[in-house]
């Protein structure tokens, strides 16, 4: 048995288990609705599907029982469409607005866990949280 075969023998049982039970999570990063049901079917009960790049409104087909009975979660994360990217770059790089004002907190890399906790549980005074490797502003308000 070669090195590749040995590695596959370790991975194969995990892949078989995942194929039977389903994946813990799936990320659907395509700009269409046709694969949402496939992604929902691919995750285990209690699994999550993240839609990333769904920038066009429309109808999608999926099994509502998968959400209610199987407790699968369908999440969304906005990403700008390709059509908006050029305008966005021009807006940011042209400094048409002072975007620094949106940063409410800055954290050094050593305090990144604290920054992520704040981002996950926003407070009334938090807007944008920045982690700056090598930064000296430890958790301060910007």
């Amino acid at each position: 048995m070669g090195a590749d075969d040995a590695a596959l023998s370790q991975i194969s049982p995990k892949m078989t288990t995942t194929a039977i039970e389903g994946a813990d999570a799936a990320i659907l990063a395509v700009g269409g609705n046709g694969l949402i049901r496939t992604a929902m079917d691919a995750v285990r009960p209690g699994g999550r599907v993240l839609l990333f790049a769904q920038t066009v409104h429309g109808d999608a087909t999926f099994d509502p029982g998968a959400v209610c009975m199987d407790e699968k979660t369908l999440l969304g994360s906005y990403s700008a469409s390709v059509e908006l990217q050029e305008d966005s770059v021009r807006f940011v790089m042209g400094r048409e607005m002072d975007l620094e004002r949106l940063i409410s907190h800055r954290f050094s890399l050593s305090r990144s866990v604290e920054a992520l906790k704040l981002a996950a549980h926003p407070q009334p005074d938090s807007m944008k949280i920045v982690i700056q490797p090598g930064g000296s502003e430890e958790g301060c308000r910007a």
Side-chain angles (χ1 to χ4, degrees):
M1 180 184 312
D4 289 341
D5 293 331
L8 285 175
S9 70
Q10 297 294 317
I11 295 170
S12 185
K14 292 180 177 87
M15 290 176 61
T16 302
T17 300
T18 299
I20 293 169
E21 297 176 8
D24 291 337
I27 299 173
L28 192 57
V30 295
N33 297 339
L35 294 174
I36 295 173
R37 173 127 194 186
T38 303
M40 291 292 284
D41 290 344
V43 297
R44 64 170 174 73
R48 295 177 176 206
V49 174
L50 173 65
L51 303 181
F52 185 79
Q54 305 301 108
T55 58
V56 178
H57 290 280
D59 295 328
T61 302
F62 66 93
D63 177 9
V67 174
C68 296
M69 295 185 308
D70 297 338
E71 298 181 341
K72 295 181 181 183
T73 303
L74 186 59
L75 303 161
S77 179
Y78 179 72
S79 69
S81 67
V82 173
E83 293 81 20
L84 293 176
Q85 289 178 1
E86 188 175 315
D87 291 337
S88 299
V89 168
R90 186 175 23 260
F91 178 78
V92 171
M93 300 309 281
R95 299 186 182 275
E96 294 180 32
M97 181 180 166
D98 181 14
L99 299 176
E100 285 281 325
R101 296 180 335 153
L102 298 176
I103 300 170
S104 60
H105 294 78
R106 296 176 189 270
F107 290 86
S108 68
L109 189 57
S110 65
R111 298 198 51 206
S112 58
V113 172
E114 184 181 345
L116 293 172
K117 285 180 181 177
L118 178 60
H121 304 284
Q123 301 300 308
D125 68 336
S126 63
M127 182 176 258
K128 295 293 180 188
I129 292 94
V130 174
I131 299 172
Q132 295 179 295
S136 60
E137 300 180 51
E138 300 258 338
C140 74
R141 232 174 141 343

Short mmCIF file of all heavy atoms in Angstrom, two decimals, residues 14-66:
data_model
loop_
_atom_site.label_atom_id
_atom_site.label_comp_id
_atom_site.label_asym_id
_atom_site.label_seq_id
_atom_site.Cartn_x
_atom_site.Cartn_y
_atom_site.Cartn_z
N LYS A 14 -14.44 8.55 6.82
CA LYS A 14 -15.06 9.84 7.12
C LYS A 14 -15.95 10.29 5.97
O LYS A 14 -17.04 10.79 6.18
CB LYS A 14 -13.99 10.87 7.41
CG LYS A 14 -13.23 10.62 8.71
CD LYS A 14 -12.18 11.68 8.94
CE LYS A 14 -11.48 11.47 10.24
NZ LYS A 14 -10.36 10.61 10.21
N MET A 15 -15.48 10.07 4.74
CA MET A 15 -16.28 10.45 3.58
C MET A 15 -17.54 9.59 3.51
O MET A 15 -18.61 10.10 3.19
CB MET A 15 -15.44 10.31 2.31
CG MET A 15 -14.35 11.36 2.21
SD MET A 15 -13.28 11.16 0.77
CE MET A 15 -14.42 11.32 -0.57
N THR A 16 -17.42 8.31 3.82
CA THR A 16 -18.59 7.43 3.80
C THR A 16 -19.60 7.88 4.84
O THR A 16 -20.80 7.96 4.57
CB THR A 16 -18.16 5.97 4.07
OG1 THR A 16 -17.22 5.60 3.06
CG2 THR A 16 -19.35 5.04 4.03
N THR A 17 -19.12 8.22 6.04
CA THR A 17 -20.01 8.70 7.10
C THR A 17 -20.69 9.99 6.67
O THR A 17 -21.89 10.16 6.85
CB THR A 17 -19.22 8.92 8.41
OG1 THR A 17 -18.65 7.68 8.81
CG2 THR A 17 -20.12 9.45 9.52
N THR A 18 -19.92 10.89 6.08
CA THR A 18 -20.49 12.16 5.62
C THR A 18 -21.52 11.91 4.52
O THR A 18 -22.58 12.51 4.51
CB THR A 18 -19.39 13.11 5.10
OG1 THR A 18 -18.50 13.38 6.18
CG2 THR A 18 -19.97 14.42 4.60
N ALA A 19 -21.22 10.99 3.62
CA ALA A 19 -22.15 10.68 2.54
C ALA A 19 -23.46 10.10 3.08
O ALA A 19 -24.54 10.37 2.55
CB ALA A 19 -21.51 9.72 1.55
N ILE A 20 -23.39 9.32 4.14
CA ILE A 20 -24.58 8.71 4.72
C ILE A 20 -25.34 9.72 5.58
O ILE A 20 -26.55 9.88 5.45
CB ILE A 20 -24.21 7.47 5.57
CG1 ILE A 20 -23.67 6.37 4.65
CG2 ILE A 20 -25.41 6.97 6.36
CD1 ILE A 20 -23.03 5.22 5.38
N GLU A 21 -24.65 10.41 6.48
CA GLU A 21 -25.28 11.32 7.44
C GLU A 21 -25.48 12.72 6.88
O GLU A 21 -26.33 13.46 7.34
CB GLU A 21 -24.45 11.39 8.72
CG GLU A 21 -24.37 10.07 9.46
CD GLU A 21 -23.46 10.13 10.67
OE1 GLU A 21 -23.01 11.23 11.03
OE2 GLU A 21 -23.21 9.07 11.24
N GLY A 22 -24.65 13.12 5.95
CA GLY A 22 -24.68 14.47 5.41
C GLY A 22 -23.58 15.32 6.00
O GLY A 22 -23.04 15.02 7.06
N ALA A 23 -23.25 16.38 5.31
CA ALA A 23 -22.20 17.30 5.77
C ALA A 23 -22.74 18.17 6.90
O ALA A 23 -23.94 18.39 7.01
CB ALA A 23 -21.74 18.17 4.61
N ASP A 24 -21.83 18.64 7.75
CA ASP A 24 -22.22 19.57 8.81
C ASP A 24 -22.68 20.90 8.22
O ASP A 24 -23.59 21.54 8.73
CB ASP A 24 -21.05 19.84 9.76
CG ASP A 24 -20.69 18.62 10.59
OD1 ASP A 24 -21.56 17.75 10.79
OD2 ASP A 24 -19.54 18.54 11.05
N ALA A 25 -22.02 21.32 7.13
CA ALA A 25 -22.32 22.61 6.52
C ALA A 25 -22.00 22.56 5.04
O ALA A 25 -21.17 21.77 4.60
CB ALA A 25 -21.52 23.71 7.20
N ALA A 26 -22.69 23.41 4.30
CA ALA A 26 -22.41 23.58 2.87
C ALA A 26 -22.42 25.07 2.57
O ALA A 26 -23.24 25.82 3.12
CB ALA A 26 -23.47 22.87 2.03
N ILE A 27 -21.48 25.50 1.74
CA ILE A 27 -21.43 26.89 1.29
C ILE A 27 -21.75 26.89 -0.20
O ILE A 27 -21.06 26.27 -0.99
CB ILE A 27 -20.05 27.51 1.55
CG1 ILE A 27 -19.74 27.50 3.04
CG2 ILE A 27 -20.00 28.93 0.97
CD1 ILE A 27 -18.33 27.93 3.38
N LEU A 28 -22.81 27.58 -0.54
CA LEU A 28 -23.24 27.68 -1.93
C LEU A 28 -22.83 29.06 -2.43
O LEU A 28 -23.43 30.06 -2.07
CB LEU A 28 -24.75 27.47 -2.02
CG LEU A 28 -25.33 27.26 -3.40
CD1 LEU A 28 -24.68 26.07 -4.09
CD2 LEU A 28 -26.82 27.04 -3.30
N ALA A 29 -21.77 29.10 -3.22
CA ALA A 29 -21.19 30.37 -3.66
C ALA A 29 -21.34 30.53 -5.18
O ALA A 29 -20.37 30.78 -5.88
CB ALA A 29 -19.73 30.46 -3.24
N VAL A 30 -22.54 30.36 -5.64
CA VAL A 30 -22.83 30.56 -7.06
C VAL A 30 -24.01 31.51 -7.17
O VAL A 30 -24.86 31.57 -6.29
CB VAL A 30 -23.15 29.23 -7.79
CG1 VAL A 30 -21.94 28.32 -7.80
CG2 VAL A 30 -24.34 28.53 -7.18
N GLY A 31 -24.06 32.25 -8.24
CA GLY A 31 -25.12 33.23 -8.40
C GLY A 31 -26.37 32.68 -9.06
O GLY A 31 -26.80 33.17 -10.08
N GLY A 32 -26.93 31.64 -8.51
CA GLY A 32 -28.17 31.07 -9.06
C GLY A 32 -28.89 30.30 -7.98
O GLY A 32 -28.30 29.92 -6.97
N ASN A 33 -30.17 30.06 -8.19
CA ASN A 33 -30.97 29.40 -7.17
C ASN A 33 -31.13 27.90 -7.40
O ASN A 33 -31.71 27.21 -6.57
CB ASN A 33 -32.36 30.04 -7.12
CG ASN A 33 -32.30 31.49 -6.71
OD1 ASN A 33 -31.33 31.93 -6.10
ND2 ASN A 33 -33.32 32.25 -7.04
N GLY A 34 -30.63 27.39 -8.49
CA GLY A 34 -30.87 26.00 -8.87
C GLY A 34 -30.25 24.96 -7.96
O GLY A 34 -30.69 23.81 -7.95
N LEU A 35 -29.24 25.31 -7.18
CA LEU A 35 -28.56 24.33 -6.34
C LEU A 35 -28.91 24.42 -4.86
O LEU A 35 -28.35 23.69 -4.04
CB LEU A 35 -27.04 24.45 -6.52
CG LEU A 35 -26.53 24.09 -7.91
CD1 LEU A 35 -25.04 24.39 -8.03
CD2 LEU A 35 -26.81 22.63 -8.21
N ILE A 36 -29.83 25.30 -4.50
CA ILE A 36 -30.18 25.45 -3.08
C ILE A 36 -30.74 24.15 -2.53
O ILE A 36 -30.34 23.68 -1.46
CB ILE A 36 -31.14 26.63 -2.86
CG1 ILE A 36 -30.44 27.95 -3.21
CG2 ILE A 36 -31.65 26.65 -1.42
CD1 ILE A 36 -31.33 29.17 -3.19
N ARG A 37 -31.65 23.53 -3.25
CA ARG A 37 -32.23 22.25 -2.78
C ARG A 37 -31.15 21.19 -2.68
O ARG A 37 -31.12 20.42 -1.71
CB ARG A 37 -33.34 21.79 -3.71
CG ARG A 37 -33.84 20.41 -3.36
CD ARG A 37 -35.29 20.37 -3.19
NE ARG A 37 -35.73 19.15 -2.54
CZ ARG A 37 -36.98 18.87 -2.40
NH1 ARG A 37 -37.89 19.69 -2.82
NH2 ARG A 37 -37.34 17.77 -1.80
N THR A 38 -30.25 21.12 -3.63
CA THR A 38 -29.15 20.14 -3.60
C THR A 38 -28.29 20.35 -2.36
O THR A 38 -27.93 19.39 -1.68
CB THR A 38 -28.28 20.26 -4.87
OG1 THR A 38 -29.13 20.08 -6.01
CG2 THR A 38 -27.17 19.25 -4.88
N ALA A 39 -27.98 21.60 -2.04
CA ALA A 39 -27.18 21.90 -0.85
C ALA A 39 -27.93 21.52 0.41
O ALA A 39 -27.36 20.94 1.35
CB ALA A 39 -26.79 23.37 -0.83
N MET A 40 -29.23 21.83 0.47
CA MET A 40 -30.04 21.46 1.65
C MET A 40 -30.09 19.95 1.81
O MET A 40 -30.04 19.43 2.92
CB MET A 40 -31.45 22.04 1.52
CG MET A 40 -31.53 23.55 1.64
SD MET A 40 -31.16 24.17 3.29
CE MET A 40 -32.67 23.78 4.14
N ASP A 41 -30.18 19.22 0.70
CA ASP A 41 -30.21 17.76 0.76
C ASP A 41 -28.86 17.18 1.18
O ASP A 41 -28.80 16.09 1.72
CB ASP A 41 -30.61 17.18 -0.60
CG ASP A 41 -32.07 17.45 -0.96
OD1 ASP A 41 -32.85 17.81 -0.04
OD2 ASP A 41 -32.42 17.32 -2.15
N ALA A 42 -27.78 17.92 0.94
CA ALA A 42 -26.44 17.42 1.22
C ALA A 42 -26.03 17.52 2.69
O ALA A 42 -25.10 16.86 3.12
CB ALA A 42 -25.42 18.15 0.36
N VAL A 43 -26.72 18.37 3.47
CA VAL A 43 -26.33 18.53 4.87
C VAL A 43 -27.16 17.61 5.76
O VAL A 43 -28.29 17.25 5.44
CB VAL A 43 -26.43 19.99 5.37
CG1 VAL A 43 -25.46 20.89 4.60
CG2 VAL A 43 -27.83 20.53 5.28
N ARG A 44 -26.57 17.23 6.89
CA ARG A 44 -27.21 16.34 7.86
C ARG A 44 -28.33 17.09 8.58
O ARG A 44 -28.39 18.32 8.53
CB ARG A 44 -26.18 15.85 8.87
CG ARG A 44 -25.61 16.99 9.72
CD ARG A 44 -24.78 16.51 10.88
NE ARG A 44 -24.15 17.60 11.57
CZ ARG A 44 -24.77 18.47 12.37
NH1 ARG A 44 -26.06 18.39 12.57
NH2 ARG A 44 -24.10 19.43 12.97
N PRO A 45 -29.20 16.36 9.29
CA PRO A 45 -30.16 17.05 10.15
C PRO A 45 -29.40 17.94 11.14
O PRO A 45 -28.41 17.53 11.73
CB PRO A 45 -30.88 15.91 10.86
CG PRO A 45 -30.79 14.77 9.89
CD PRO A 45 -29.42 14.92 9.26
N GLY A 46 -29.86 19.17 11.29
CA GLY A 46 -29.17 20.14 12.13
C GLY A 46 -28.05 20.86 11.39
O GLY A 46 -27.40 21.74 11.95
N GLY A 47 -27.81 20.52 10.13
CA GLY A 47 -26.74 21.14 9.35
C GLY A 47 -27.12 22.54 8.87
O GLY A 47 -28.26 22.98 9.02
N ARG A 48 -26.15 23.21 8.30
CA ARG A 48 -26.35 24.59 7.84
C ARG A 48 -25.93 24.74 6.39
O ARG A 48 -24.95 24.15 5.96
CB ARG A 48 -25.51 25.55 8.68
CG ARG A 48 -25.94 25.60 10.12
CD ARG A 48 -25.04 26.50 10.91
NE ARG A 48 -25.52 26.61 12.26
CZ ARG A 48 -25.29 27.63 13.04
NH1 ARG A 48 -24.57 28.64 12.62
NH2 ARG A 48 -25.77 27.66 14.26
N VAL A 49 -26.68 25.58 5.68
CA VAL A 49 -26.34 25.94 4.30
C VAL A 49 -26.19 27.45 4.26
O VAL A 49 -27.10 28.18 4.65
CB VAL A 49 -27.43 25.48 3.31
CG1 VAL A 49 -27.13 25.99 1.91
CG2 VAL A 49 -27.54 23.96 3.31
N LEU A 50 -25.04 27.92 3.80
CA LEU A 50 -24.77 29.35 3.66
C LEU A 50 -24.87 29.71 2.19
O LEU A 50 -24.19 29.13 1.35
CB LEU A 50 -23.38 29.70 4.18
CG LEU A 50 -22.93 31.14 3.92
CD1 LEU A 50 -23.80 32.14 4.68
CD2 LEU A 50 -21.48 31.32 4.28
N LEU A 51 -25.76 30.66 1.89
CA LEU A 51 -25.86 31.19 0.53
C LEU A 51 -24.97 32.42 0.45
O LEU A 51 -25.19 33.40 1.15
CB LEU A 51 -27.31 31.59 0.22
CG LEU A 51 -28.37 30.52 0.35
CD1 LEU A 51 -29.73 31.09 -0.01
CD2 LEU A 51 -28.04 29.32 -0.49
N PHE A 52 -23.96 32.34 -0.40
CA PHE A 52 -23.03 33.45 -0.59
C PHE A 52 -23.03 33.76 -2.07
O PHE A 52 -22.78 32.88 -2.88
CB PHE A 52 -21.63 33.04 -0.11
CG PHE A 52 -20.64 34.15 -0.16
CD1 PHE A 52 -20.62 35.12 0.83
CD2 PHE A 52 -19.75 34.25 -1.21
CE1 PHE A 52 -19.70 36.16 0.79
CE2 PHE A 52 -18.84 35.29 -1.26
CZ PHE A 52 -18.82 36.23 -0.26
N ALA A 53 -23.35 34.94 -2.43
CA ALA A 53 -23.39 35.40 -3.82
C ALA A 53 -24.79 35.35 -4.41
O ALA A 53 -24.94 35.46 -5.61
CB ALA A 53 -22.41 34.63 -4.71
N GLN A 54 -25.81 35.18 -3.61
CA GLN A 54 -27.18 35.24 -4.10
C GLN A 54 -27.57 36.71 -4.15
O GLN A 54 -28.18 37.22 -3.23
CB GLN A 54 -28.14 34.48 -3.18
CG GLN A 54 -27.78 33.05 -2.91
CD GLN A 54 -27.69 32.22 -4.15
OE1 GLN A 54 -26.61 31.84 -4.55
NE2 GLN A 54 -28.78 31.91 -4.77
N THR A 55 -27.21 37.39 -5.22
CA THR A 55 -27.41 38.85 -5.28
C THR A 55 -28.59 39.26 -6.14
O THR A 55 -28.78 40.43 -6.41
CB THR A 55 -26.13 39.52 -5.81
OG1 THR A 55 -25.83 38.98 -7.09
CG2 THR A 55 -24.97 39.31 -4.87
N VAL A 56 -29.38 38.29 -6.58
CA VAL A 56 -30.54 38.60 -7.40
C VAL A 56 -31.78 38.00 -6.72
O VAL A 56 -31.76 36.85 -6.29
CB VAL A 56 -30.38 38.01 -8.82
CG1 VAL A 56 -31.60 38.28 -9.66
CG2 VAL A 56 -29.13 38.56 -9.48
N HIS A 57 -32.82 38.79 -6.60
CA HIS A 57 -34.06 38.28 -6.02
C HIS A 57 -34.70 37.28 -6.98
O HIS A 57 -34.60 37.42 -8.19
CB HIS A 57 -35.04 39.42 -5.73
CG HIS A 57 -34.61 40.28 -4.60
ND1 HIS A 57 -34.80 39.93 -3.29
CD2 HIS A 57 -33.99 41.48 -4.57
CE1 HIS A 57 -34.32 40.87 -2.51
NE2 HIS A 57 -33.82 41.83 -3.27
N GLY A 58 -35.35 36.28 -6.43
CA GLY A 58 -36.02 35.29 -7.25
C GLY A 58 -36.61 34.20 -6.38
O GLY A 58 -36.55 34.27 -5.15
N ASP A 59 -37.19 33.21 -7.00
CA ASP A 59 -37.80 32.10 -6.28
C ASP A 59 -36.84 30.92 -6.24
O ASP A 59 -36.07 30.68 -7.17
CB ASP A 59 -39.09 31.67 -6.98
CG ASP A 59 -40.16 32.76 -6.93
OD1 ASP A 59 -40.18 33.51 -5.94
OD2 ASP A 59 -40.95 32.85 -7.89
N ALA A 60 -36.90 30.19 -5.13
CA ALA A 60 -36.07 29.00 -4.97
C ALA A 60 -36.94 27.87 -4.42
O ALA A 60 -37.86 28.12 -3.64
CB ALA A 60 -34.91 29.27 -4.01
N THR A 61 -36.63 26.66 -4.82
CA THR A 61 -37.37 25.51 -4.34
C THR A 61 -36.52 24.73 -3.35
O THR A 61 -35.38 24.40 -3.63
CB THR A 61 -37.72 24.58 -5.53
OG1 THR A 61 -38.47 25.33 -6.49
CG2 THR A 61 -38.54 23.40 -5.07
N PHE A 62 -37.09 24.50 -2.17
CA PHE A 62 -36.46 23.62 -1.18
C PHE A 62 -37.56 23.05 -0.31
O PHE A 62 -38.69 23.54 -0.29
CB PHE A 62 -35.38 24.34 -0.36
CG PHE A 62 -35.91 25.44 0.53
CD1 PHE A 62 -36.25 25.18 1.85
CD2 PHE A 62 -36.06 26.72 0.05
CE1 PHE A 62 -36.74 26.18 2.66
CE2 PHE A 62 -36.55 27.73 0.86
CZ PHE A 62 -36.89 27.46 2.17
N ASP A 63 -37.23 22.00 0.41
CA ASP A 63 -38.19 21.30 1.24
C ASP A 63 -38.33 22.01 2.58
O ASP A 63 -37.40 22.00 3.38
CB ASP A 63 -37.71 19.86 1.44
CG ASP A 63 -38.61 19.05 2.35
OD1 ASP A 63 -39.69 19.53 2.71
OD2 ASP A 63 -38.21 17.93 2.70
N PRO A 64 -39.48 22.64 2.89
CA PRO A 64 -39.63 23.31 4.17
C PRO A 64 -39.56 22.34 5.35
O PRO A 64 -39.21 22.74 6.46
CB PRO A 64 -41.00 24.00 4.08
CG PRO A 64 -41.69 23.41 2.92
CD PRO A 64 -40.66 22.78 2.04
N GLY A 65 -39.84 21.06 5.12
CA GLY A 65 -39.70 20.06 6.18
C GLY A 65 -38.25 19.90 6.61
O GLY A 65 -37.97 19.56 7.76
N ALA A 66 -37.32 20.17 5.68
CA ALA A 66 -35.90 20.11 6.03
C ALA A 66 -35.55 21.17 7.06
O ALA A 66 -34.70 20.96 7.92
CB ALA A 66 -35.03 20.28 4.78
#
